Amino acid sequence: MSEAVLQQAVSASKESEFLSFILGEEHYALDITTVKEIRGYEQVTKIANAPSFIKGVINLRGDIVPIVDLRLKFNVGEATYNQFTIVIMLNVHDRIVGIVVDGVSDVIRLSEGDVLPPPEFGVSFDSKYLHGLADIDENMVILVNIESLITSNELGLVETKTASVEEE
């Protein structure tokens, strides 16, 4: 086996799949292994004193699922709720969480070499929620580190052992 073929096989084995979605005018993507299902938006039960981006909870086959509107969280797009509004159900650290997006686009495959590191924005934007950026068909896709976002203290939706260790 030639060196080039071996290198290509190694890089192909490091490919990851991402579900791409739209928020406002921007294209985002998240690790597809966290996706449980994609559903239409349904009425939520509001939670008192929750931040505006946490819309409430729904009962999904016996699981109480918090619904987070990423459009409000990332301050992009208009938060309208109709028959076209999409909720991506995620399974993060054995907890189901729904995220509201404007639309789901496609499943994309990216190798490590396709992913550019997230830019540093300083204090105006916390890039710890970004996995990186990728150029897909001349569109810049923002790769969201959804596990970091969902398990963040800011959302407070999932308790993790690593989060409690960091706080000590």
Side-chain angles (χ1 to χ4, degrees):
M1 190 180 288
S2 74
E3 176 97 21
V5 171
L6 184 60
Q7 184 64 28
Q8 190 175 18
V10 168
S11 66
S13 68
K14 293 182 182 179
E15 279 190 341
S16 299
E17 290 187 327
F18 294 85
L19 177 67
S20 64
F21 58 93
I22 299 169
L23 292 176
E25 301 292 317
E26 301 301 323
H27 292 265
Y28 292 79
L30 55 82
D31 184 347
I32 200 163
T33 61
T34 62
V35 177
K36 179 176 174 62
E37 65 184 86
I38 300 169
R39 306 168 51 97
Y41 186 80
E42 60 188 74
Q43 193 60 40
V44 299
T45 301
K46 305 258 187 235
I47 302 295
N49 298 321
S52 64
F53 54 83
I54 298 180
K55 300 315 299 173
V57 296
I58 64 167
N59 184 337
L60 180 68
R61 296 182 291 279
D63 288 320
I64 302 303
V65 177
I67 304 297
V68 177
D69 193 325
L70 283 191
R71 301 170 298 184
L72 297 174
K73 174 67 182 129
F74 290 164
N75 198 24
V76 295
E78 252 182 69
T80 56
Y81 305 96
N82 57 36
Q83 69 271 24
F84 302 112
T85 305
I86 301 294
V87 179
I88 302 171
M89 295 295 178
L90 305 170
N91 195 343
V92 178
H93 293 284
D94 297 323
R95 175 82 191 262
I96 301 170
V97 177
I99 58 170
V100 179
V101 300
D102 288 321
V104 174
S105 301
D106 205 355
V107 174
I108 54 177
R109 296 183 82 136
L110 297 172
S111 67
E112 290 178 10
D114 296 330
V115 179
L116 303 169
E120 291 299 324
F121 291 107
V123 293
S124 64
F125 183 83
D126 197 343
S127 61
K128 72 181 174 187
Y129 303 138
L130 298 182
H131 179 68
L133 301 167
D135 192 9
I136 307 293
D137 298 328
E138 298 184 22
N139 283 322
M140 190 61 69
V141 177
I142 301 164
L143 305 177
V144 178
N145 184 339
I146 201 67
E147 287 195 25
S148 178
L149 176 63
I150 297 300
T151 60
S152 70
N153 289 337
E154 188 178 347
L155 260 58
L157 298 175
V158 177
E159 283 189 38
T160 63
K161 292 177 182 148
T162 56
S164 61
V165 168
E166 288 173 5
E167 292 172 4
E168 291 176 357

